[in-house]
Amino acid sequence: MVKIANFRRFLICGLLGLLLTGVVSCLQSPKTPKLEFWTMQLQPKFNNYFKDAIGKFETANPGIKVHWVDVPWGAMQGKIQAAMGAKTAPDVVNLNPDFAIQLAARNAWLDLDSVLTKGENKQYVPSIWQAGTLNGKAFSLPWYLTTNVTIYNQQLFTKAGITKPPSTYQELAQVAKQVKEKTGKYAFFTTFVPEDSNDVLESLVQMGVQLVDPQGKAAFNTPAGKAAFEYWVELYRQGFLPKEALTQGHQQGIQLYQAGETAMLSAGAPFIDTIAKNAPQIAKVSAVAPQISGPNGKKGVAVMNLVIPRTTKTPDAAVKFALFITNASNQLAFAEASDTLPSNVAAVKEYINKLAASKDKSALDRGKSISAQQLAQSEILIPPLKNLDALKKAIYENLQAAMLGEKTVEQALTSAATSWDGK
């Protein structure tokens, strides 16, 4: 009996020992949170940047590990939708506002207002921050940006007797007339091909046109919409736009400018270096001016942001990492490495100051400086729409019909609105 009692005591003590060992082991080796971070087509160019940034974050947060996954641009939408459906979504995702807001409407992203401390949103450019909100609630952190500038051929301007680049669409029409009449060339090229650039659609907004109402119905069949349609139709009918504007995309505009056949090109500042490589003689006579706008002064901007899926198992760590990637120092470093613009207010200020202090003063630096300075008037001009391509098709095809005399401006405007509302 003593032996049995001793055995029981030994067994109980042994089990308690194992339990205590397990508890101590758990206390000594907590499970390290692992974050999965997806970006859009940033490898391999920015491998060193992210290796350094992630390394710094993990050093400052020894309890967190980050796994970076880069997804091809065209694959991101399908991949993130599949991951959300399978409940295997990453913890932090790089998306553009157009697609991010569609999923925000389905309550897919973490409500940042509930997790950010007071004032943390103030570190971002206000209009850019606003682009990451839906119904007054924030769902994304702004990251890197691009805004177009006007690159112009000083030689053609001089021949046409033009002393300064146009800043408004009204001035652009006058320049288009003057360049054509004095040089036989075109002032600029813009495309009306529905599958291509959004430039014409953005121009309508800059001219004061509301594209859709809060219910998503056409809101452009108005006096302002008619004036905007008439603007483009008249430029084409008077011969101040190349005929291939109806059949060729933005790439044609690039080729025409580099060949010296047009006097202006709307593009990101870094494209100045591309012109220098492809057409050095044109680059020598090229200068940079702010983006053309309308009476409201609005300028377009393209935004990339970071969102956090609501399903993340580590929301605190995910928010901490997203804030780290978008802080002033990291945004400034990425902007300089990628020739983009930061969305962090302090980083924008430092970016402009660095360019101002540069002794180089190259055309690229001037373009970057103009691009950064116009951020204060920049915003996403086209509202996020699930069927944006359908809206663009309705407007562009009817504009083309009016340009070719197949419809009056009034008929084209009404037909575009009817087409969109009946989609």
Side-chain angles (χ1 to χ4, degrees), residues 194 220 229 388-399 412 415-421:
F220 53 84
F229 268 48
L388 176 61
D389 288 345
L391 176 64
K392 193 161 60 166
K393 181 180 172 67
I395 289 176
Y396 282 29
E397 287 186 348
N398 279 283
L399 269 172
S415 179
T418 301
S419 176
W420 167 249
D421 287 342

Side-chain angles (χ1 to χ4, degrees), residues 83-98:
M84 298 287 280
K87 301 189 185 304
T88 58
D91 302 286
V92 181
V93 192
N94 162 212
L95 292 176
N96 60 46
D98 285 350

Side-chain angles (χ1 to χ4, degrees), residues 292-316:
I292 293 170
S293 187
N296 56 26
K298 291 181 178 180
K299 293 180 171 61
V301 61
V303 179
M304 296 301 289
N305 57 27
L306 297 181
V307 294
I308 300 168
R310 186 177 289 275
T311 54
T312 178
K313 294 180 176 61
T314 55
D316 292 342

